[in-house]
Amino acid sequence: MPSHYQNDLFTELSKYYDEFEVIYAHTHDDARKSLGWNFENAHNFNSKTIGRDLTIWKIIPYLFKNRKSTHIVNGIWAESIFFFVIILLNLFQINFLIYSEASNPFKNRSFLKKIILRFVSVSIAKLLIIKAKGVLAISIFASNYFKDLGINDRRIYRFGYFQKEKIHLKLTTKKSCISLLFVGQLIERKGIFTLLEAIEKLFEKYQSFHLSIIGSGILKDNIQHFIKTQNLQNEVELLGVIDSQNVSNYIAQADLLVLPSVFDGWGIVVNEALQNGISVLISDQCGAKELIREGKNGFIFKANNVNDITEKLTNFIELSPHEKLEMMKEIRKMNQNIDIQIVTKYLVACVAHSLNQISIKPTAPWLK
């Protein structure tokens, strides 16, 4: 189920291939559409949605008709219908690649499902992907995951999530404090309390900063209680759910984006921050850490480590004007490497290499 922000990549890919089509597993629900997750908006590539434009029973003849095409499947287990598609691609001996994150260790599963996945999923996954021409691995975590499944490193291509630059005008009014921003679900996996505890420690030494929290989730009441009991009402603000367009505006006005997740397959918000010239503080368990050069365009801290994130926040707060200028230069360098056209060209090269059309394995531009 491709996300709405992948449409930029699909639009660029359609320029390279005469026959290019995106198949969605299903439409987004109303909640996601309200946040801007609507792939049905006008786009410049052909697409179909299973259940609406393409019934399950028509998938078999569809794949057989397109058996000479190369297919890229988003994940192994993410959507049951895509799991079925991978089986068919193997049976029909059709060229395909897998585009996937690593397995989410925090995903809620029943006890029975955990047991089944532990003892069966690895074996099934190996059988399903053994004939894949390649794997587009979302971050080092997915790369290691597929290596553990026995995929040769030559067939693993590092990838991520990328979108077209969405530059927003940054207000030039003089700030009285440093603006920190968190964007994400208020759930345990996002590590929000690691950040809040660091803010509490920082408040003992600094008062010239403010944290805005965008998002909602089951920890909302706990967070409100923490803010109140620690007397941080002036330093921390809960903004709730905001649509994607306005989130982009908040990112553009921030000084530092913080992604403290205990695990995140990637974190597209990191791309958007960098594209708007905003530094990033990210945990070492987020895939998008690959875009951060320690102390140059941001900072990386050990997940769940309050002391480490506090130290990195302190480092950012105490940056001199010259150091901030140098950091901005490094951010611009990274932006050149995650430009959607550069990334698309790299993806096309990955597909060509997987099909033995070129001999030299391409290197991800953001890792050079």
Side-chain angles (χ1 to χ4, degrees):
M1 178 60 185
S3 301
H4 73 291
Y5 47 75
Q6 290 175 282
N7 280 358
D8 294 335
L9 177 63
F10 299 151
T11 297
E12 291 299 319
L13 276 174
S14 67
K15 299 175 183 177
Y16 283 86
Y17 302 103
D18 293 331
E19 296 183 7
F20 177 82
E21 189 167 45
V22 176
I23 306 297
Y24 296 98
H26 49 72
T27 60
H28 285 305
D29 57 32
D30 292 338
R32 288 189 179 274
K33 286 182 179 180
S34 69
L35 296 176
W37 288 60
N38 190 1
F39 60 76
E40 295 169 301
N41 291 335
H43 49 243
N44 300 318
F45 54 84
N46 294 325
S47 68
K48 288 185 175 66
T49 301
I50 296 174
R52 186 188 65 186
D53 308 310
L54 189 65
T55 65
I56 294 177
W57 304 114
K58 288 184 178 180
I59 290 177
I60 295 176
Y62 175 87
L63 290 176
F64 189 76
K65 177 183 177 182
N66 293 281
R67 61 189 180 279
K68 293 185 178 180
S69 299
T70 298
H71 301 257
I72 300 177
V73 185
N74 193 359
I76 302 175
W77 314 104
E79 297 286 345
S80 57
I81 190 64
F82 289 165
F83 176 78
F84 176 59
V85 166
I86 294 175
I87 293 175
L88 293 176
L89 291 170
N90 276 280
L91 290 175
F92 294 157
Q93 297 184 349
I94 299 173
N95 290 337
F96 72 96
L97 293 86
I98 300 293
Y99 176 29
S100 178
E101 297 180 14
S103 178
N104 178 5
F106 283 82
K107 190 170 183 178
N108 290 326
R109 295 186 174 100
S110 66
F111 176 76
L112 179 60
K113 193 168 185 179
K114 286 181 179 179
I115 296 297
I116 293 174
L117 288 175
R118 180 179 300 175
F119 294 102
V120 179
S121 64
V122 172
S123 298
I124 293 177
K126 286 181 178 180
L127 289 173
L128 288 176
I129 66 176
I130 194 66
K131 292 184 179 180
K133 293 297 181 179
V135 173
L136 297 166
I138 308 299
S139 86
I140 185 66
F141 302 127
S143 179
N144 291 337
Y145 172 74
F146 285 104
K147 285 179 184 177
D148 290 341
L149 289 179
I151 301 298
N152 189 294
D153 185 61
R154 184 171 170 78
R155 294 165 56 203
I156 298 175
Y157 307 92
R158 293 281 281 277
F159 212 68
Y161 293 121
F162 302 93
Q163 61 184 10
K164 189 176 180 180
E165 283 188 334
K166 297 179 180 178
I167 305 300
H168 296 269
L169 182 64
K170 192 175 183 68
L171 299 178
T172 56
T173 54
K174 189 174 182 179
K175 293 182 178 180
S176 59
C177 66
I178 294 174
S179 175
L180 311 178
L181 180 65
F182 168 91
V183 180
Q185 293 175 287
L186 305 184
I187 57 177
E188 182 182 357
R189 180 173 62 84
K190 292 295 184 176
I192 182 65
F193 272 100
T194 301
L195 174 57
L196 288 172
E197 289 175 28
I199 293 297
E200 180 189 6
K201 294 183 68 174
L202 283 173
F203 186 58
E204 298 172 1
K205 184 177 180 180
Y206 307 98
Q207 283 78 46
S208 58
F209 65 87
H210 182 271
L211 170 64
S212 297
I213 299 175
I214 295 177
S216 186
I218 59 174
L219 295 181
K220 179 181 177 181
D221 291 342
N222 303 68
I223 293 170
Q224 289 177 324
H225 178 73
F226 182 91
I227 293 172
K228 183 177 180 180
T229 56
Q230 302 304 320
N231 196 29
L232 294 173
Q233 293 94 328
N234 294 327
E235 287 69 40
V236 182
E237 181 181 16
L238 268 174
L239 298 175
V241 177
I242 297 177
D243 68 83
S244 60
Q245 179 61 39
N246 284 323
V247 168
S248 299
N249 290 328
Y250 273 96
I251 291 173
Q253 307 313 317
D255 294 304
L256 180 71
L257 175 80
V258 186
L259 191 62
S261 304
V262 179
F263 175 80
D264 240 317
W266 186 256
I268 191 68
V269 69
V270 173
N271 301 53
E272 193 162 351
L274 294 174
Q275 289 169 340
N276 278 280
I278 308 304
S279 301
V280 175
L281 172 60
I282 188 171
S283 89
D284 60 358
Q285 294 303 306
C286 296
K289 69 177 182 178
E290 297 182 355
L291 305 183
I292 304 304
R293 303 294 177 263
E294 177 64 29
K296 293 185 176 181
N297 64 351
F299 300 91
I300 302 173
F301 73 95
K302 296 176 183 177
N304 264 336
N305 191 315
V306 176
N307 290 333
D308 199 27
I309 188 175
T310 303
E311 179 182 339
K312 298 302 173 67
L313 281 168
T314 300
N315 291 344
F316 178 78
I317 291 173
E318 295 185 349
L319 286 175
S320 68
H322 173 72
E323 289 171 326
K324 289 180 180 178
L325 182 60
E326 291 300 310
M327 187 164 281
M328 182 62 69
K329 291 179 181 178
E330 291 297 326
I331 290 173
R332 292 195 188 103
K333 288 181 183 178
M334 179 55 71
N335 285 341
Q336 294 175 358
N337 293 327
I338 61 174
D339 177 82
I340 194 66
Q341 294 180 344
I342 297 297
V343 169
T344 304
K345 186 177 180 180
Y346 163 67
L347 175 54
V348 171
C350 290
V351 174
H353 182 266
S354 73
L355 299 175
N356 297 318
Q357 294 172 353
I358 59 175
S359 59
I360 300 177
K361 181 182 177 181
T363 300
W366 59 94
L367 296 177
K368 292 180 179 178

